[in-house]
Amino acid sequence: MKSEKILIIGSQGQIGLELTTELRTIYGEDNVIASDVKRPTEVSGLFEELDVMNKQKFADILKKHGVTQVYLLAALLSATAEQNPRLAWDLNMEGLFNVLNAAKEGIIKKVYWPSSIAVFGPSTPKKMTPQYTIMEPNTIYGISKQAGERYCEYYHQKHGVDVRSIRYPGLIGYKSAPGGGTTDYAVHIYHEALKQGTYECFLSADTELPMMYMHDALKATIGLMESTAEKVKIRSSYNVAGMSFNPQQVADEIAKHIPNFTVTYKPDFRQKIADSWPQSINDEEARSHWGWKPDFNLAQMTTDMLENLKKKTTSV
Ligand code: SER
């Protein structure tokens, strides 16, 4: 067992819930502390109530548990951030400062912070978007992520902070629910296909976006964090790709399993956000630097999602 003490901030979110379980399997139950703003009704394992903007409480928790690594997952996502830009900025940036500063002071040794495809904007090349390209995000979420990326690189270069990051595409999993993102439809569509046999999509049928199965997101995250420091050559954030599809394509794939499945389209404000993002991602740096490679395509993910969601509903 490795002698790390890991703090996950935002453990109740879509990624946090799954990452906590995965890290506990690798590092041991007692070495992974989950934290979130609110204590969940059912707590399994070590848990601390923490608002990452509360610097003192954060410092106390680091000390109490002798934390060596922090995964900072607390954030407002793209759609929610547009509804509350001030809170989004404060949470997304201040949380990061508190964590980076703790690393700068040598209190923690390694930081994981997620960025997003939202760092790209309408002037970015849409297909096979490269690691280095025009970035003019026009959502508050994207602006906060881009600023965050610059801060991560700055803290690495200036203060030697070992910070690592991935630009997540839309994430899809059966264990946890997404919250407030523009790509959330790609999770809801599976639930509704099984429950109702129909789904009303808030993006248009041909809106292609980069996506990734949660299995691959965890693989990328842990793979990057476990790489030797020399391999992590990019300290802003890495492009990673899983798959790309539009709502029509995922609906067609689901219909192979649920033949009468129908989808209607009613784009809302999230359409504009989606239209500002890339359609597909070039992740050659992540592949060559630290050996990234996804396992799931759309067909494999759809089979796995539906199988597991069915199991979940029958076991309740
Ligand atoms: N899934 C996120 C969102 O839609 C993108 O990082 O906000």
Side-chain angles (χ1 to χ4, degrees), residues 116-164:
S116 160
I117 53 162
V119 292
F120 300 114
S123 53
T124 302
K126 284 207 172 303
K127 289 200 188 296
M128 291 305 280
T129 302
Q131 174 73 36
Y132 300 107
T133 185
I134 302 167
M135 294 164 89
E136 293 183 317
N138 64 359
T139 62
I140 197 71
Y141 176 65
I143 294 167
S144 73
K145 288 295 180 188
Q146 198 197 23
E149 285 194 8
R150 303 323 307 150
Y151 269 106
C152 286
E153 188 171 302
Y154 181 86
Y155 269 73
H156 176 72
Q157 284 182 357
K158 194 107 181 164
H159 306 298
V161 167
D162 189 355
V163 55
R164 303 168 182 213

Side-chain angles (χ1 to χ4, degrees), residues 84-99:
N84 201 340
R86 182 70 225 208
L87 174 64
W89 181 261
D90 289 347
L91 172 62
N92 295 2
M93 297 312 297
E94 221 173 295
L96 179 59
F97 290 143
N98 289 343
V99 175

